[in-house]
Amino acid sequence: MQPDPGSRNGVRAGDVVHVGRSASVQFDGSSALLFRVIRVHDRPTYDGWTWLDGYQLNRNGNAVKRRTIFVQIDGLRPVARRTSAPKRVSVPNTRPYPASSQLPRQRN
């Protein structure tokens, strides 16, 4: 993976990567997985290796397990990269009742 602005070692939160044998021998064959990165650790380690926090994804892209993995950066294969922050959606005020300021005053 090539470094980009805002990334650490070429990987950043939001990236989805394929983790196989080229990333670490523990992910050989049926142990390979898709992984959504949520954190890249900045602790010192061997040159070209890093710790990643994230979610193991199933075939549908749904998170099935949170994991911390130790991998070689050059062995990760990018699947998808988040291009921007998720957009917030505004929800209209659909109160089934009027706001308290709109209620008639009660007499004491």
Side-chain angles (χ1 to χ4, degrees), residues 25-70:
V25 294
Q26 68 183 351
F27 300 111
D28 190 22
S30 64
S31 297
L33 54 94
L34 288 178
F35 192 75
R36 181 183 306 122
V37 178
I38 58 173
R39 178 178 173 211
V40 181
H41 291 256
D42 59 358
R43 61 180 139 168
T45 185
Y46 298 105
D47 188 40
W49 290 78
T50 194
W51 287 96
L52 302 175
D53 286 341
Y55 294 99
Q56 181 176 338
L57 306 178
N58 65 13
R59 291 180 183 169
N60 297 323
N62 297 319
V64 292
K65 186 176 183 182
R66 183 168 176 168
R67 298 182 67 164
T68 299
I69 60 175
F70 185 60

Side-chain angles (χ1 to χ4, degrees), residues 3-13 15 40 81:
D4 66 36
S7 72
R8 193 174 283 145
N9 297 324
V11 181
R12 65 180 179 178
D15 289 353
V40 181
R81 171 162 277 163

